[in-house]
Amino acid sequence: MTDATVDVLGVLLSGDDDLYGLKIAQTIGRPTGSVAPILRRLEGCNWVTSTWEQSNERTGPRRRFYQLSAEHAADARALVAERRPAPTTPKHTPLRPGWVSGR
């Protein structure tokens, strides 16, 4: 599993219902040319489902919306947590009363 795939899964886990290829690519800062094949592979493995945009109100090409499948959401969460652990909070030394920076 590549870092780019983990990035895509992280976005899909965000809960945003309006995720299409360009939006996912912009969110993770990767080119659409690398995100599109990842989405196709995930869809081929049934980790992701997609639907075409139905609205005609927007100009431009139709968008394809992606959603993480419910049956693989737990696997994706575990994988992202394993590969992208939450940053630890730095331990701060409490300030002593009366201490002023620069003195």
Side-chain angles (χ1 to χ4, degrees):
M1 181 86 44
T2 66
D3 286 343
T5 302
V6 174
D7 290 345
V8 169
L9 289 172
V11 173
L12 291 168
L13 285 166
S14 72
D16 186 348
D17 290 334
D18 189 29
L19 291 173
Y20 49 95
L22 179 60
K23 185 174 182 179
I24 294 169
Q26 289 173 335
T27 300
I28 62 175
R30 293 188 182 268
T32 55
S34 66
V35 171
I38 292 168
L39 290 167
R40 280 194 300 274
R41 275 194 307 274
L42 289 171
E43 192 168 16
C45 296
N46 296 319
W47 277 53
V48 168
T49 58
S50 67
T51 56
W52 283 103
E53 181 176 45
Q54 298 301 315
S55 173
N56 293 330
E57 296 174 15
R58 210 178 63 77
T59 60
R62 283 190 317 163
R63 297 181 286 194
R64 190 172 186 105
F65 294 101
Y66 294 91
Q67 185 175 21
L68 194 61
S69 70
E71 72 181 59
H72 290 289
D75 295 329
R77 237 180 256 104
L79 183 64
V80 170
E82 176 186 314
R83 296 283 296 272
R84 302 274 189 265
T88 57
T89 306
K91 295 181 180 175
H92 296 285
T93 305
L95 296 176
R96 292 179 300 227
W99 185 82
V100 178
S101 178
R103 286 192 174 177

